[in-house]
Amino acid sequence: MTHSAAQSTTEGPLGSAAEVKRHKWWGWGLDDVAFRWDNKPAFAPFAIDKIGLDLPGSTPEPEPTLEGFEVPASRLPEDVRAALSGVVGTENVVLDDELRVVHSFGRSVTDLFRVRTGDFSRIVDGVVYPGTEDEVREVLRLVLEHDLVLIPYGGGSCISGSVTPDVSEQRPILTLNLGRMRRVLSIDDTAGLARVDAGVYGPDLEEQLNAEGWTLGHFPDSFTYSTLGGWAATRSSGMQSDKYGDIADIVRGLRLVHPRGVLALTALPGQSDGPSLREMVIGSEGRLGVITEVTVQVHRLAPVRQVIAYMYPDWEHGIRGMHAIARSTEVSPTFTRLSDGPETTFSLAMVKAPSSTKGKIAATAQDALFAYLRRKGWDTENDMCISYVCFEGSQESVARQERIVKSLVKHNGGITLGSGPGAIYDQKKFDTPYLRDFLLGYDVFGDVSDTATPWSRLNEMHTSAVDAAHAALAELERPGFVFCHMSHSYHSGACLYFTFAFPYSAKEQALSEYQHVKNAIQQAFIDHGGTLSHHHAVGTEHQPWIEQDVTPVGVSILQDLFSTSDPARNLNPGKIVSP
Amino acid sequence: MTHSAAQSTTEGPLGSAAEVKRHKWWGWGLDDVAFRWDNKPAFAPFAIDKIGLDLPGSTPEPEPTLEGFEVPASRLPEDVRAALSGVVGTENVVLDDELRVVHSFGRSVTDLFRVRTGDFSRIVDGVVYPGTEDEVREVLRLVLEHDLVLIPYGGGSCISGSVTPDVSEQRPILTLNLGRMRRVLSIDDTAGLARVDAGVYGPDLEEQLNAEGWTLGHFPDSFTYSTLGGWAATRSSGMQSDKYGDIADIVRGLRLVHPRGVLALTALPGQSDGPSLREMVIGSEGRLGVITEVTVQVHRLAPVRQVIAYMYPDWEHGIRGMHAIARSTEVSPTFTRLSDGPETTFSLAMVKAPSSTKGKIAATAQDALFAYLRRKGWDTENDMCISYVCFEGSQESVARQERIVKSLVKHNGGITLGSGPGAIYDQKKFDTPYLRDFLLGYDVFGDVSDTATPWSRLNEMHTSAVDAAHAALAELERPGFVFCHMSHSYHSGACLYFTFAFPYSAKEQALSEYQHVKNAIQQAFIDHGGTLSHHHAVGTEHQPWIEQDVTPVGVSILQDLFSTSDPARNLNPGKIVSP
């Protein structure tokens, strides 16, 4: 421990732009991966019951083809392209139509709908893939010199419009894809700190860290298609934040290429040196510059990891149980999660048909359990809430915590299901984003909105946001389904994560119908003591609520922060606050 | 837990300015409390050995008298005084000489020396005591209208110059003392959140919270003479930060009276809404406005609290032990502290002569223990390091953690002393500041400098800063004593807190000699991967290192933040960064 820090430096060659991982052009993730309903017996009945979608009787839209759409030509002047090529190499300045489309959208429902319908009136004019911080500095210098717009880009998974260009922007727009900068540069084994290129994707980062016995412990739902720099720039939080912290806790130091030079913040465990520059860069969505390197705290891989499932008769009992776990000074779970009744029903509808004998036995056991719970007076169809809690540590510590939590759950009216369903939850957690593309194929919107609020207001927030969504759907005269889970537990409160789905009436008014429902939920967040988002950033899609969230004075301070750093608005203009 | 939050509102009458607690005009704390050496048998031999101070043969300077000094008249125009009186009441606008002197200085060694020597060339022109946020707004309006300078003031305990006016300031200067705003406004029992007036002193706040079964858990050394608003404005950290967090973790929401209105940040457990405005206000030292209200997370008083003392043969073994405790996922101490050899010697010199039989037995037992350790090969005079670890929780949890830590300590070469010395440490922790005034009475400077750095650099930092201080003393040809403790443990590093003492050669060059030693330590912090201060803010005294700490780009961002909020520099100008 007192030996000098191990410095395991990876100095492999950088890949070219062509090797950088990316989404399919029209949706989430890999080309050959899609959500399937035919292996989930309860899904089709669920869909027709909740949103009137008759899956067996419907044919989804075919996958879109880019050939059918008009992609505007790049506006990048030839001399600028040549200058950029001189900095990063010709193969790393890409003007290709498909890549420009991919980089012009995040993966919000609005983005996905626009891509599917070929709404390409204004897309980025080129994608630049730098390989080093010096190249980023040089690219930024060219951007300022030629009055271009620069949009830093990680994995393109954001759902708040943070990487989408303003359609009224007249200047040439470049996206800066950091994907070639993806190395763990060094690990300080004594401090538990890793210095990492900002462009590394989640799985690649974990693999590099795991190889040295470390983990970051940061697993947002977007994990497979998001990057370290993107997490920092959007103030991300992973599902294991109870133990590992939000990205703002994880990031100890960073390097930002700013219009005036490099802001280099040393990795420190704590400091008293004025307003936190680190906390200004975190969440800045590219408006202050480009994050090129991040120093993160890393943890030794836990010897034992166990996810246990629990069931409560209803939401109120469940929240009481979650609160008791959060208040206990005797346990420190890795994550805690509670689905409300409708989300529990949805989870059950997502279960695959058992193929093995073991699976069939488990399904039978579940039927018996539910029958027993109904005899006890539980409403297993509507109110019952499933919960997952993850424990990590030594065998003894995990066992001790499991015992304590089991007792807290019981004390609050719940029952322990065990590790079987927990393991299933743990495996399928990154598959959900594919569902939205699937639903869009049937003219159905499926989306999420999240907030955080104190423990004292979680029930009020849950009821209010669900009611607001249902009222908005009723105003549209559309069927729809709304559900929620609580996760990301803190001392003073937690995150509530809402999912809603409804079939839009017609393509022409689809987005305005979507906005109507989304707005109702977001406004409920603000009206009931919550924030506009717990971990999905502001971008443009959450911007209508920033003034209510941080007051007009707060907005003016943010405007000043951005306008003094970037007076000509070359850096991702219009995101977070206008102008 | 699901009942609506208890709102225990205190609506007592506000006191007047005369009732607000304050320091003695020339030093720390109460008039009738002072450090005594005559009841500490080892202190006088220690003083002559380490800094050549012959206490029995010396007579301290008499306490200074204000009558002997020239106090400049207030420059506050009569019409402005009248307007301020109209806002807060005549009795709450104070132009009295002694109070203006008290409010013109913090309690740094530089401040204390200036006060003792009557260096009052420029002091504040008046002290205003607002009773409400509306009054603060109205005072700020008058400040801007009349182009005055406003210095927000909590307990005046700061040691970095944050409340001291610039001697070259020509405009009238007001100090805004928040001491009348000292109520716990409400406690949300479910969320564990308390909404509190910013002007409340530490003991008053704990008393109000304890009465409802809660604690803030924030105990900086300055606790008795510092306020919640001051802690937030200077990015403070208390000795129990291992468990309760730094003030930046504790503060969940706040209200700031800013030149453009009130910045109101809702108390939230987590959020993703752009750069953190909360983290911009924390540490802003009055340059963005006046913090009037803070919402803090509070904790239930622990049923059991135990402080255990340990001893290690030397610093390296001690740091290994502390690191092992920090890395263990099985324990979560409330605080962890390790004194180096010289600080351990100093602590032993601070022990009072035993007056009880029990005390005499303990002293004999200690002598026997040290003799045993010497036989084992320990250097009990120079190298041996005392450590304290505090545990809180249920009886079972405290006992379990004690067992684990005992074993970690043993594994790293240390021994467990038990709870006796721990209890003594816990009781006397707030007495240390009085020592500096005592030493100044003998023309001796005693001061502290703190930093934080990763675990991998703690030993290097310890050696380098101690060596730098000794080298600086050698250059001055002064005897001197330097010691250090590690505290405030985090995942990736910890705080190192250095104390140094030396007799200056003559009053005329006292401050330049002080600067020479202080500078050497501060520069070592920066040169070895540390920050300019872990929890003592920037003010003016640490400002020479801010550019090295956050790079020139960081300084320019801070300058922009302040200049756009306060273009005419009315709010505590010159603090943190210039202009």
Side-chain angles (χ1 to χ4, degrees):
Chain A
M1 270 156 284
T2 52
H3 61 74
S4 68
Q7 300 288 326
S8 66
T9 306
T10 314
E11 284 292 0
L14 291 164
S16 72
E19 293 166 53
V20 173
K21 175 176 170 177
R22 66 176 184 85
H23 291 288
K24 64 183 77 151
W25 75 267
W26 57 270
W28 180 272
L30 296 170
D31 266 317
D32 51 354
V33 177
F35 175 80
R36 285 176 58 188
W37 62 272
D38 55 320
N39 58 354
K40 302 178 182 74
F43 194 82
F46 178 88
I48 196 146
D49 180 38
K50 302 298 181 185
I51 52 172
L53 171 60
D54 174 18
L55 283 170
S58 306
T59 309
E61 281 182 2
E63 284 185 8
T65 52
L66 197 57
E67 292 67 38
F69 299 129
E70 191 183 337
V71 177
S74 168
R75 303 187 193 183
L76 191 67
E78 174 50 30
D79 61 328
V80 179
R81 192 204 58 71
L84 289 166
S85 295
V87 175
V88 299
T90 310
E91 72 282 15
N92 296 316
V93 180
V94 178
L95 306 190
D96 167 89
D97 281 358
E98 184 170 327
L99 274 163
R100 287 194 296 119
V101 168
V102 169
H103 285 83
S104 296
F105 299 93
R107 286 300 178 261
S108 74
V109 163
T110 312
D111 289 322
L112 295 173
F113 185 85
R114 286 185 61 197
V115 173
R116 279 180 169 266
T117 54
D119 179 3
F120 302 148
S121 55
R122 185 73 180 99
I123 64 165
V124 301
D125 299 299
V127 186
V128 179
Y129 294 78
T132 65
E133 183 181 281
D134 283 345
E135 290 182 9
V136 174
R137 295 183 71 165
E138 200 53 25
V139 169
L140 180 54
R141 197 188 61 71
L142 289 170
V143 163
L144 299 177
E145 179 185 325
H146 294 280
D147 195 19
L148 316 177
V149 162
L150 188 75
I151 303 178
Y153 183 100
S157 66
C158 75
I159 61 167
S160 54
S162 306
V163 297
T164 307
D166 180 351
V167 293
S168 68
E169 181 60 61
Q170 295 305 308
R171 297 171 290 182
I173 306 169
L174 290 180
T175 289
L176 193 74
N177 186 315
L178 278 286
R180 291 175 63 219
M181 296 171 67
R182 54 173 179 255
R183 293 176 306 186
V184 171
L185 299 165
S186 67
I187 300 176
D188 178 337
D189 281 330
T190 306
L193 288 170
R195 207 159 60 78
V196 186
D197 278 339
V200 69
Y201 275 81
D204 188 2
L205 173 56
E206 274 298 308
E207 199 175 302
Q208 292 183 61
L209 292 175
N210 290 176
E212 307 283 333
W214 295 98
T215 179
L216 189 68
H218 187 76
F219 298 104
D221 288 356
S222 63
F223 180 70
T224 50
Y225 280 90
S226 54
T227 64
L228 176 56
W231 299 334
T234 57
R235 204 169 268 282
S236 164
S237 179
M239 55 184 75
Q240 299 191 164
S241 70
D242 291 22
K243 173 177 176 185
Y244 296 95
D246 298 325
I247 203 70
D249 305 306
I250 294 168
V251 172
R252 302 316 312 164
L254 56 81
R255 295 179 66 89
L256 172 90
V257 174
H258 180 274
R260 289 192 287 260
V262 174
L263 172 69
L265 299 175
T266 311
L268 292 166
Q271 62 213 100
S272 174
D273 52 359
S276 174
L277 288 154
R278 191 181 68 242
E279 289 272 9
M280 293 185 214
V281 175
I282 293 172
S284 60
E285 301 187 21
R287 292 213 56 177
L288 294 176
V290 181
I291 299 168
T292 52
E293 186 185 302
V294 184
T295 303
V296 288
Q297 57 185 37
V298 293
H299 298 257
R300 284 293 177 197
L301 288 161
V304 178
R305 175 188 168 88
Q306 185 83 273
V307 180
I308 306 289
Y310 308 88
M311 202 70 94
Y312 292 94
D314 55 37
W315 175 257
E316 287 72 21
H317 281 86
I319 287 290
R320 259 179 255 165
M322 303 309 274
H323 190 228
I325 295 167
R327 274 293 168 275
S328 169
T329 55
E330 316 284 309
V331 296
S332 49
T334 302
F335 67 75
T336 50
R337 181 184 166 114
L338 173 74
S339 293
D340 69 2
E343 185 169 291
T344 302
T345 314
F346 169 76
S347 297
L348 295 171
M350 291 280 278
V351 173
K352 285 184 191 169
S355 54
S356 66
T357 309
K358 192 178 162 195
K360 283 172 189 156
I361 293 169
T364 310
Q366 180 182 293
D367 291 345
L369 172 69
F370 288 9
Y372 162 74
L373 292 173
R374 279 191 294 273
R375 287 196 299 277
K376 271 184 69 171
W378 289 30
D379 180 345
T380 59
E381 302 288 317
N382 299 296
D383 294 344
M384 190 172 73
C385 295
I386 195 160
S387 168
Y388 300 99
V389 179
C390 176
F391 307 95
E392 291 181 346
S394 66
Q395 189 76 56
E396 184 276 330
S397 159
V398 166
R400 183 175 51 76
Q401 295 191 66
E402 276 189 41
R403 274 199 306 278
I404 296 170
V405 168
K406 183 173 187 168
S407 144
L408 291 172
V409 170
K410 187 178 177 189
H411 185 73
N412 288 286
I415 59 165
T416 298
L417 298 184
S419 58
I424 292 166
Y425 165 76
D426 219 24
Q427 283 151 20
K428 70 178 185 187
K429 60 197 173 191
F430 301 125
D431 295 343
T432 322
Y434 286 100
L435 185 56
R436 296 174 311 152
D437 292 313
F438 169 83
L439 291 174
L440 281 172
Y442 292 93
D443 296 328
V444 172
F445 283 129
D447 199 22
V448 298
S449 254
D450 66 315
T451 191
T453 199
W455 286 105
S456 50
R457 303 194 77 169
L458 281 178
N459 286 335
E460 167 198 345
M461 179 66 81
H462 178 249
T463 306
S464 305
V466 167
D467 287 354
H470 282 302
L473 287 164
E475 282 155 15
L476 295 173
E477 299 182 352
R478 305 304 303 163
F481 193 53
V482 186
F483 56 78
C484 173
H485 65 257
M486 189 227 91
S487 53
H488 306 273
S489 179
Y490 303 83
H491 175 79
S492 64
C495 163
L496 288 184
Y497 190 101
F498 296 86
T499 302
F500 58 99
F502 73 97
Y504 53 83
S505 62
K507 284 235 168 14
E508 301 69 45
Q509 54 220 54
L511 284 182
S512 74
E513 289 177 353
Y514 167 77
Q515 276 306 333
H516 188 69
V517 181
K518 169 88 177 169
N519 289 357
I521 296 173
Q522 289 287 137
Q523 192 57 46
F525 291 170
I526 298 291
D527 292 344
H528 296 277
T531 173
L532 58 79
S533 176
H534 172 261
H535 58 266
H536 283 133
V538 187
T540 51
E541 300 204 26
H542 293 146
Q543 200 172 122
W545 296 276
I546 186 74
E547 188 172 287
Q548 295 177 71
D549 188 293
V550 301
T551 69
V553 174
V555 168
S556 73
I557 293 173
L558 293 174
Q559 287 167 328
D560 288 343
L561 178 67
F562 300 144
S563 67
T564 49
S565 282
D566 177 35
R569 304 180 69 250
N570 300 104
L571 288 165
N572 208 9
K575 305 302 154 55
I576 307 174
V577 291
S578 284
Chain B
M1 273 155 281
T2 53
H3 61 75
S4 69
Q7 298 289 324
S8 66
T9 305
T10 314
E11 283 292 0
L14 291 165
S16 71
E19 293 165 55
V20 173
K21 175 176 169 177
R22 67 176 183 85
H23 290 288
K24 64 182 75 147
W25 74 267
W26 58 270
W28 180 272
L30 296 171
D31 267 317
D32 52 355
V33 177
F35 175 80
R36 286 176 57 187
W37 62 273
D38 54 320
N39 59 354
K40 302 177 183 75
F43 194 81
F46 178 88
I48 195 145
D49 179 38
K50 302 300 181 186
I51 53 172
L53 171 60
D54 174 16
L55 283 170
S58 308
T59 309
E61 279 183 4
E63 284 186 8
T65 53
L66 198 55
E67 291 69 37
F69 298 129
E70 191 183 336
V71 178
S74 168
R75 303 186 193 184
L76 191 68
E78 174 50 30
D79 62 326
V80 179
R81 194 205 57 73
L84 290 164
S85 295
V87 175
V88 299
T90 310
E91 71 283 14
N92 295 317
V93 181
V94 177
L95 307 190
D96 170 87
D97 281 357
E98 184 171 328
L99 275 163
R100 288 194 295 118
V101 168
V102 169
H103 286 83
S104 296
F105 300 93
R107 287 297 177 264
S108 74
V109 163
T110 313
D111 289 323
L112 295 172
F113 185 84
R114 286 185 61 196
V115 174
R116 278 182 170 264
T117 53
D119 180 3
F120 300 150
S121 56
R122 186 73 180 100
I123 65 165
V124 301
D125 299 299
V127 186
V128 179
Y129 294 78
T132 65
E133 182 180 283
D134 283 346
E135 290 181 10
V136 173
R137 295 183 70 165
E138 199 54 26
V139 169
L140 180 54
R141 197 187 61 71
L142 289 170
V143 162
L144 299 176
E145 181 185 325
H146 295 279
D147 196 20
L148 316 177
V149 162
L150 189 75
I151 303 178
Y153 183 100
S157 66
C158 76
I159 61 166
S160 55
S162 306
V163 297
T164 306
D166 180 350
V167 293
S168 69
E169 181 61 61
Q170 296 303 311
R171 298 171 290 182
I173 306 169
L174 290 178
T175 288
L176 193 75
N177 185 314
L178 276 287
R180 292 174 62 218
M181 297 172 67
R182 55 173 178 253
R183 294 175 309 186
V184 171
L185 300 166
S186 66
I187 301 176
D188 179 337
D189 281 330
T190 307
L193 287 170
R195 208 161 58 78
V196 187
D197 279 338
V200 69
Y201 274 82
D204 188 3
L205 173 56
E206 274 298 308
E207 199 176 301
Q208 293 183 62
L209 292 174
N210 289 176
E212 307 282 333
W214 294 100
T215 180
L216 188 67
H218 186 76
F219 299 105
D221 288 356
S222 63
F223 179 69
T224 51
Y225 280 89
S226 55
T227 65
L228 176 56
W231 299 334
T234 57
R235 204 169 270 281
S236 163
S237 180
M239 55 185 76
Q240 299 190 165
S241 69
D242 290 23
K243 174 178 175 184
Y244 295 96
D246 298 325
I247 203 69
D249 305 307
I250 294 168
V251 171
R252 302 316 311 163
L254 57 81
R255 294 179 67 88
L256 172 89
V257 174
H258 179 274
R260 289 191 287 261
V262 174
L263 172 70
L265 299 176
T266 311
L268 292 167
Q271 62 213 100
S272 173
D273 52 0
S276 174
L277 288 154
R278 191 181 68 244
E279 289 272 10
M280 291 185 216
V281 174
I282 292 173
S284 61
E285 301 188 20
R287 292 213 57 175
L288 293 176
V290 181
I291 299 168
T292 53
E293 186 184 302
V294 184
T295 302
V296 287
Q297 55 185 39
V298 292
H299 298 258
R300 284 295 178 196
L301 288 162
V304 178
R305 175 189 168 86
Q306 186 83 272
V307 180
I308 306 290
Y310 308 88
M311 202 69 94
Y312 292 94
D314 56 37
W315 175 257
E316 288 71 22
H317 281 87
I319 287 291
R320 260 179 254 165
M322 303 310 274
H323 190 228
I325 295 167
R327 272 295 167 275
S328 169
T329 55
E330 315 284 311
V331 294
S332 49
T334 302
F335 68 76
T336 48
R337 180 184 166 115
L338 173 74
S339 293
D340 68 2
E343 186 170 291
T344 302
T345 314
F346 170 76
S347 298
L348 294 171
M350 291 280 279
V351 174
K352 285 184 193 171
S355 53
S356 66
T357 309
K358 193 178 163 195
K360 284 171 190 156
I361 292 169
T364 310
Q366 182 182 292
D367 290 344
L369 173 67
F370 287 7
Y372 163 74
L373 292 173
R374 279 191 293 272
R375 287 195 299 276
K376 272 184 69 173
W378 290 30
D379 179 345
T380 59
E381 302 287 317
N382 298 295
D383 293 344
M384 190 172 72
C385 295
I386 196 160
S387 167
Y388 299 100
V389 179
C390 176
F391 306 95
E392 292 181 345
S394 66
Q395 190 74 59
E396 184 275 332
S397 158
V398 167
R400 183 175 51 75
Q401 294 191 66
E402 277 187 41
R403 272 198 309 279
I404 296 170
V405 168
K406 184 174 187 169
S407 140
L408 292 172
V409 170
K410 187 177 177 191
H411 185 72
N412 288 286
I415 59 164
T416 297
L417 299 185
S419 59
I424 293 167
Y425 166 75
D426 220 22
Q427 282 153 21
K428 68 175 186 188
K429 60 195 172 191
F430 300 126
D431 295 343
T432 322
Y434 287 99
L435 185 57
R436 297 176 309 152
D437 292 312
F438 169 82
L439 291 174
L440 281 173
Y442 292 93
D443 296 329
V444 172
F445 283 129
D447 199 23
V448 297
S449 253
D450 66 314
T451 190
T453 199
W455 286 105
S456 49
R457 304 194 74 169
L458 282 178
N459 286 335
E460 167 197 345
M461 178 68 81
H462 178 249
T463 305
S464 306
V466 168
D467 287 353
H470 282 303
L473 287 164
E475 282 154 17
L476 296 174
E477 299 181 353
R478 306 302 305 162
F481 193 54
V482 186
F483 56 79
C484 172
H485 65 255
M486 189 228 92
S487 52
H488 305 272
S489 178
Y490 303 81
H491 175 77
S492 63
C495 164
L496 287 184
Y497 190 101
F498 296 86
T499 302
F500 58 99
F502 72 97
Y504 53 83
S505 61
K507 284 233 169 14
E508 301 69 44
Q509 55 221 54
L511 285 182
S512 75
E513 289 177 352
Y514 167 78
Q515 276 306 332
H516 188 69
V517 181
K518 170 87 176 168
N519 289 358
I521 296 173
Q522 290 287 136
Q523 192 57 46
F525 291 171
I526 298 291
D527 292 344
H528 296 277
T531 172
L532 58 80
S533 175
H534 172 262
H535 58 266
H536 284 133
V538 187
T540 51
E541 301 204 26
H542 293 146
Q543 202 174 118
W545 296 275
I546 186 74
E547 188 172 287
Q548 296 177 69
D549 189 293
V550 301
T551 67
V553 174
V555 168
S556 74
I557 293 174
L558 293 174
Q559 286 167 329
D560 288 342
L561 178 69
F562 300 144
S563 67
T564 49
S565 281
D566 176 34
R569 304 180 69 250
N570 301 106
L571 288 164
N572 208 10
K575 306 301 154 54
I576 306 174
V577 290
S578 284

